[in-house]
Amino acid sequence: MTELTRRDLMRGLSLAVLAVAAADLLGGCSGDDKDEGDSVDGITLVSSDEDRAEGDSGAVPAVVGSIQALGAGLYRKLRGQPGNLALSPFSVALALALTVNGAKGATLEEMQTVLSTRDLHELNGGLNSLTRHLESLAGKQERRDGSEATIALDSANAIFGEQTETWERGFLDTLAREYGAGLQAVDFKSAAEAARLRINDWVAGRTHDRIEDLIAEGVLDTFTRLVLVNALYLKAPWEEPFNDRATQAKPFHVADGSPVAVPTMRAMLGRAGYGHGDGWQAVRLAYAGNELAMTVLLPDQDRLADLEATIGSGDLPSVLASVEPASVDLSLPRWTFRTQAPLGDTLASLGMPTAFTDGADFSAMTADEPLQIAAVLHQVFIAVDEDGTEAAAATAVVIRATSARFPDRTVVVDRPFLFVIHDVAHGTPLFVGRVSDPRG
């Protein structure tokens, strides 16, 4: 028997449960506002008949500025965390853009502030055009030396909505027209775990299994109504690959200054780029075709905090603009890691707190019941070696009914404790005791 992969098993389990639970997927959808679409992996699509638009190329510069500002804000808030850090401002921006199209009132205004835009039409059209441009960079590329290499670059959006909810046509039209996304009807109310597996399976498939568990067990429950997801995948070979025979173990000084031996690549790059500024140097490495690149920012000794402050203040565009063509003898560690970050508190502190409270207004999504954001989840995988870079990111915005009450405190009784049995009116201690070992 052929051994099943973990993702195959997850897909089979989630679809089996959903098939039983979803006897009438469109029971809560009004016939006037919804068009029943095709079935994707056995899940019914609820979407409009709008075709994907071409986007607004004139809005791309403004949208790029919005993504840069969002990235600066996120980095500023998260850079104090210890250890490795990776973000995809593009993925987060797309997930938030999907969500903001369902917002109204103060919720809309605050989310627009965080996204650095006052015009949703410009945001939608610009992101649509930018995404199409980025996807056009994928495919076979010819290097300057005549060799060929293939770049993979995919961005995909999906919306998973509670099957009994009536979703507004205008909301669905925008998702289809500007983001190429139809709403997939799932059963959160009685099969939340199966829906979670289905969403994670979708993300894993779009990121070549680099992001497998975006949504952890227990995040979705019977009060979940909508999950909006972006998945991003990149695999790009260098324009000038490193020779793996030149890779040697070299010392790398970690945060506390102590040296550790790590595999370090080295190459004389004849067509790289170099820039510098106050307390930092920058080296640009092009990927095959010279349409994509990685810029490595190296702080001077004891200037990491200053460089991070520069990035967090929004000066990344000027840092990137400092790079000019140059040959560079570069030594660069290989690295592979993945990071994950719940972004709810971070986004609230950046200026959109209302979206996470009972005062949120997402009535442009549905008039059935009030909704609020329960969580914004983000994961990134990155691997850099002699051949190039593989990176994946996924962002999920989890929406739930505001009628779902969050506990004020969480208490786990996992150590010796006391107890008192008493009457409420007077507090008469009928029994008092201590439990040191519940086994007796």
Side-chain angles (χ1 to χ4, degrees):
M1 178 181 293
T2 302
E3 183 178 358
L4 291 175
T5 65
R6 181 172 178 272
R7 189 157 63 88
D8 290 333
L9 186 59
M10 290 172 62
R11 177 187 291 115
L13 175 60
S14 61
L15 294 181
V17 177
L18 285 171
V20 173
D24 183 10
L25 287 177
L26 298 181
C29 303
S30 65
D32 292 338
D33 290 345
K34 309 293 183 296
D35 296 316
E36 182 173 353
D38 296 330
S39 176
V40 177
D41 291 342
I43 306 300
T44 302
L45 290 178
V46 182
S47 61
S48 75
D49 55 4
E50 291 276 336
D51 293 329
R52 178 82 179 268
E54 290 298 320
D56 180 3
S57 59
V60 169
V63 163
V64 171
S66 296
I67 297 172
Q68 290 172 337
L70 175 64
L74 292 172
Y75 196 93
R76 183 174 67 252
K77 294 292 184 179
L78 296 174
R79 68 186 179 95
Q81 297 181 0
N84 297 321
L85 173 63
L87 292 168
S88 172
F90 179 74
S91 178
V92 177
L94 273 170
L96 291 180
L98 294 172
T99 309
V100 74
N101 278 282
K104 289 184 177 180
T107 307
L108 172 62
E109 293 177 4
E110 290 175 1
M111 292 189 72
Q112 285 181 308
T113 297
V114 171
L115 287 166
S116 301
T117 182
R118 306 311 303 171
D119 187 340
L120 277 189
H121 294 294
E122 180 182 69
L123 177 70
N124 293 331
L127 280 173
N128 188 358
S129 182
L130 177 61
T131 301
R132 288 181 176 276
H133 165 70
L134 293 174
E135 290 173 342
S136 74
L137 302 180
K140 286 188 176 181
Q141 306 290 332
E142 184 175 345
R143 296 188 176 104
R144 291 185 180 180
D145 64 4
S147 63
E148 286 190 344
T150 299
I151 288 179
L153 179 57
D154 303 301
S155 176
N157 306 303
I159 303 93
F160 300 84
E162 165 57 38
Q163 64 185 20
T164 61
E165 204 86 1
T166 304
W167 301 103
E168 295 294 324
R169 182 178 185 115
F171 176 59
L172 296 180
D173 283 351
T174 300
L175 299 184
R177 183 175 58 251
E178 303 293 1
Y179 299 95
L183 185 144
Q184 300 186 39
V186 296
D187 185 0
F188 288 121
K189 291 184 177 180
S190 61
E193 177 60 10
R196 182 186 75 88
L197 294 175
R198 165 71 189 124
I199 296 168
N200 283 345
D201 182 62
W202 183 91
V203 172
R206 271 62 181 185
T207 60
H208 297 244
D209 293 322
R210 293 307 188 184
I211 308 289
E212 290 191 328
D213 295 303
L214 176 63
I215 303 176
E217 186 174 358
V219 172
L220 308 185
D221 56 27
T222 58
F223 294 102
T224 302
R225 295 295 178 265
L226 193 70
V227 178
L228 306 101
V229 189
N230 171 264
L232 179 65
Y233 179 78
L234 167 71
K235 189 169 186 178
W238 301 119
E239 171 70 18
E240 296 181 82
F242 291 79
N243 186 336
D244 56 9
R245 291 192 298 272
T247 299
Q248 297 180 11
K250 296 290 184 180
F252 182 89
H253 296 273
V254 294
D256 65 3
S258 59
V260 295
V262 300
T264 302
M265 308 178 293
R266 184 175 182 182
M268 174 62 76
L269 304 174
R271 292 181 293 274
Y274 178 83
H276 63 91
D278 181 18
W280 54 267
Q281 301 176 79
V283 178
R284 179 168 298 168
L285 296 87
Y287 294 109
N290 291 286
E291 295 289 343
L292 295 167
M294 171 186 288
T295 299
V296 176
L297 304 177
L298 178 66
D300 292 351
Q301 190 70 34
D302 299 323
R303 296 292 300 275
L304 174 60
D306 295 336
L307 176 57
E308 290 195 304
T310 297
I311 302 306
S313 67
D315 283 344
L316 179 60
S318 61
V319 171
L320 296 180
S322 73
V323 176
E324 297 181 350
S327 61
V328 178
D329 181 358
L330 178 66
S331 296
L332 180 70
R334 289 197 314 232
W335 77 86
T336 300
F337 66 80
R338 66 180 70 244
T339 64
Q340 57 184 350
L343 297 180
D345 291 343
T346 302
L347 290 168
S349 68
L350 283 176
M352 49 175 281
T354 304
F356 299 90
T357 69
D358 288 353
D361 185 353
F362 287 107
S363 57
M365 292 181 179
T366 178
D368 283 4
E369 57 185 333
L371 305 174
Q372 68 186 84
I373 298 178
V376 180
L377 309 172
H378 186 60
Q379 283 194 32
V380 174
F381 166 87
I382 185 165
V384 175
D385 61 17
E386 290 84 353
D387 296 323
T389 300
E390 184 179 22
T395 308
V397 179
V398 179
I399 306 286
R400 65 188 287 146
T402 58
S403 56
R405 304 307 304 173
F406 295 93
D408 295 322
R409 299 286 187 273
T410 298
V411 177
V412 179
V413 181
D414 58 358
R415 53 194 176 273
F417 63 97
L418 307 182
F419 68 88
V420 180
I421 299 174
H422 62 91
D423 75 309
V424 175
H426 306 288
T428 306
L430 303 179
F431 298 91
V432 178
R434 180 184 68 207
V435 178
S436 296
D437 186 343
R439 295 173 301 175

